[in-house]
Structures are given as structure tokens and as C-alpha cells.
Amino acid sequence: DMAGSPSLPYASFYNASALESVTLPSHITSIPDNVFTYTNLKSITIPENVTSIGSGTFAQTKNLTSVVIPKNVVTIGRDAFAGAWDNLQSIEFEEGSKLKTIGELAFFGAKTTTINLPDTVETIGSWAFAGSQITNLFLPESVKTLGLYAFNGGSYAYGTRLQELYCPKTIETQCLQSLEAASLSQSLLN
């Protein structure tokens, strides 16, 4: 029974392959780890009260085409949308976003070509956008930590498509290291 609980049970819909849509209760404040991993969700509306999206929450949801991250989300966990690369073409952050942390591998392999990060993001984990289709990325001045391999295509078939990167001067060394680790030209840096 989820009535009144601020969270869903851990891995509550894990591997529920018949699950294509769900309406989450408006009172929940967090979506814990692995709740929708390996489901066939096509769409999800994340309630406004949610402040954290756990690790692996939507991992391997290969039918998910878009996601809107509500403005109250502060943390997106490791692998949150990793492996949803078949169709995840739109990742949007609501205006007034309070997002601070994007975990490691959070959007690994996403098909979206553009992403507009909120100007509140402080930490971007390693491999966060690795293998994605993003072509231009503007890192806001608020970013203090950028994980190594954040843009890496590595040996994966889902190589990065990054063509241009704006990086704040305060983390320029981290950006250069990430570009080098991904075997990308430093000339992408603006």
C-alpha cells in the first residue's frame, strides 16, 4: 500500500515487462533505485513533489521516448536512465529547476541530440552523457565537478556525437580531461 508513503518500494516494478504506463501518486517525494528497471514504459509523468530519482530507476526502459524532470528534483542517481537509448529522444528540465547532481551514467546512450541543463547543476558524474547523441552541450557556470569520461563513447557502439562544448573557465581542466579521455578534439571546447 503506497497511500501516504513519500516513496515507492525499492524495485517495486522491476522487470514488469507488461508495464507500459503508470500514474504515480502526487504525494511521493522520491523514486527509489530500480523501480522501473526493465519495464516497457512508454511514458512517465514524474510528480512535482519528487526531489530525487534513484539509481537505475528507469534503466533499460527501452520504449521510453521522453522525460520531463520536475523543477523540485535535486538529484538524478547513477544509471537513472541508462540503457533507455533505443527511443529516449527528449530530456527536458522544468523552468526553475533545482537540480544539483546528475549521477554517473545517468543518461548513458540517450538518443536526444540536445539537452539544456539547468543553471543550478553543480555535479555531473563520470559517463553521464557517454554514448549519447548530444551534439552541442552548454555546461552552466554552476558546474563545479565534471566526472572523467562524462562524454566518452569508449569502445561502445554508441559513440558520442559531441561537436561543441561550452565549459566554464572554473572547470576548464576537467573539461579538457573529459574530452581527452573520450578521444575528442580539444577544439570542440568553446
Side-chain angles (χ1 to χ4, degrees), residues 19 35 53 65 81 94 124 141 153 179 185:
L19 186 64
V35 171
I53 297 172
T65 58
F81 296 91
E94 281 187 348
I124 298 173
E141 296 290 331
L179 288 171
S185 170

mmCIF file of all heavy atoms in Angstrom, residues 19 35 53 65 81 94 124 141 153 179 185:
data_model
loop_
_atom_site.group_PDB
_atom_site.id
_atom_site.type_symbol
_atom_site.label_atom_id
_atom_site.label_comp_id
_atom_site.label_asym_id
_atom_site.label_seq_id
_atom_site.Cartn_x
_atom_site.Cartn_y
_atom_site.Cartn_z
ATOM 1 N N LEU A 19 4.392 -3.672 -18.089
ATOM 2 C CA LEU A 19 4.109 -2.301 -17.659
ATOM 3 C C LEU A 19 4.492 -1.305 -18.752
ATOM 4 O O LEU A 19 5.658 -1.172 -19.114
ATOM 5 C CB LEU A 19 4.878 -1.977 -16.377
ATOM 6 C CG LEU A 19 4.588 -0.633 -15.733
ATOM 7 C CD1 LEU A 19 3.136 -0.564 -15.265
ATOM 8 C CD2 LEU A 19 5.526 -0.405 -14.556
ATOM 9 N N VAL A 35 13.169 1.092 -9.552
ATOM 10 C CA VAL A 35 11.708 0.922 -9.517
ATOM 11 C C VAL A 35 11.144 0.479 -10.863
ATOM 12 O O VAL A 35 10.309 -0.418 -10.926
ATOM 13 C CB VAL A 35 11.007 2.212 -9.037
ATOM 14 C CG1 VAL A 35 9.508 2.110 -9.201
ATOM 15 C CG2 VAL A 35 11.341 2.469 -7.586
ATOM 16 N N ILE A 53 15.551 11.126 -7.910
ATOM 17 C CA ILE A 53 15.324 9.978 -8.790
ATOM 18 C C ILE A 53 16.506 9.055 -8.538
ATOM 19 O O ILE A 53 17.655 9.428 -8.745
ATOM 20 C CB ILE A 53 15.253 10.415 -10.269
ATOM 21 C CG1 ILE A 53 14.059 11.347 -10.484
ATOM 22 C CG2 ILE A 53 15.167 9.192 -11.180
ATOM 23 C CD1 ILE A 53 14.000 11.987 -11.855
ATOM 24 N N THR A 65 10.218 7.399 -24.568
ATOM 25 C CA THR A 65 10.619 8.325 -25.627
ATOM 26 C C THR A 65 10.995 9.712 -25.110
ATOM 27 O O THR A 65 11.770 10.417 -25.751
ATOM 28 C CB THR A 65 9.499 8.488 -26.670
ATOM 29 O OG1 THR A 65 8.329 8.948 -26.016
ATOM 30 C CG2 THR A 65 9.228 7.166 -27.371
ATOM 31 N N PHE A 81 18.673 6.702 -16.185
ATOM 32 C CA PHE A 81 18.048 6.470 -17.498
ATOM 33 C C PHE A 81 18.965 5.682 -18.427
ATOM 34 O O PHE A 81 18.734 5.631 -19.628
ATOM 35 C CB PHE A 81 17.671 7.805 -18.144
ATOM 36 C CG PHE A 81 16.635 8.568 -17.375
ATOM 37 C CD1 PHE A 81 17.005 9.483 -16.407
ATOM 38 C CD2 PHE A 81 15.284 8.360 -17.612
ATOM 39 C CE1 PHE A 81 16.048 10.188 -15.680
ATOM 40 C CE2 PHE A 81 14.327 9.045 -16.900
ATOM 41 C CZ PHE A 81 14.706 9.958 -15.932
ATOM 42 N N GLU A 94 12.221 21.210 -16.142
ATOM 43 C CA GLU A 94 11.246 22.293 -15.967
ATOM 44 C C GLU A 94 11.946 23.597 -15.592
ATOM 45 O O GLU A 94 12.988 23.594 -14.916
ATOM 46 C CB GLU A 94 10.253 21.943 -14.856
ATOM 47 C CG GLU A 94 9.186 20.995 -15.277
ATOM 48 C CD GLU A 94 8.121 20.812 -14.213
ATOM 49 O OE1 GLU A 94 8.302 21.247 -13.051
ATOM 50 O OE2 GLU A 94 7.086 20.218 -14.553
ATOM 51 N N ILE A 124 28.318 16.722 -12.324
ATOM 52 C CA ILE A 124 27.978 15.820 -13.422
ATOM 53 C C ILE A 124 28.927 14.638 -13.299
ATOM 54 O O ILE A 124 30.147 14.790 -13.367
ATOM 55 C CB ILE A 124 28.130 16.502 -14.796
ATOM 56 C CG1 ILE A 124 27.167 17.693 -14.895
ATOM 57 C CG2 ILE A 124 27.892 15.501 -15.927
ATOM 58 C CD1 ILE A 124 27.350 18.548 -16.134
ATOM 59 N N GLU A 141 27.579 27.806 -15.615
ATOM 60 C CA GLU A 141 28.620 28.302 -14.711
ATOM 61 C C GLU A 141 28.545 27.652 -13.338
ATOM 62 O O GLU A 141 29.522 27.617 -12.600
ATOM 63 C CB GLU A 141 28.513 29.829 -14.566
ATOM 64 C CG GLU A 141 28.760 30.602 -15.843
ATOM 65 C CD GLU A 141 30.218 30.553 -16.309
ATOM 66 O OE1 GLU A 141 31.139 30.427 -15.470
ATOM 67 O OE2 GLU A 141 30.425 30.623 -17.532
ATOM 68 N N GLY A 153 32.621 7.893 -25.620
ATOM 69 C CA GLY A 153 31.960 6.875 -26.417
ATOM 70 C C GLY A 153 32.637 5.540 -26.203
ATOM 71 O O GLY A 153 32.054 4.491 -26.384
ATOM 72 N N LEU A 179 37.346 15.521 -22.477
ATOM 73 C CA LEU A 179 37.454 15.452 -23.932
ATOM 74 C C LEU A 179 38.587 14.515 -24.336
ATOM 75 O O LEU A 179 38.444 13.683 -25.230
ATOM 76 C CB LEU A 179 37.675 16.844 -24.525
ATOM 77 C CG LEU A 179 36.476 17.777 -24.502
ATOM 78 C CD1 LEU A 179 36.897 19.188 -24.907
ATOM 79 C CD2 LEU A 179 35.373 17.273 -25.408
ATOM 80 N N SER A 185 38.509 15.961 -29.855
ATOM 81 C CA SER A 185 39.377 17.089 -30.087
ATOM 82 C C SER A 185 39.110 18.195 -29.066
ATOM 83 O O SER A 185 37.963 18.527 -28.786
ATOM 84 C CB SER A 185 39.177 17.637 -31.494
ATOM 85 O OG SER A 185 39.850 18.868 -31.633
#
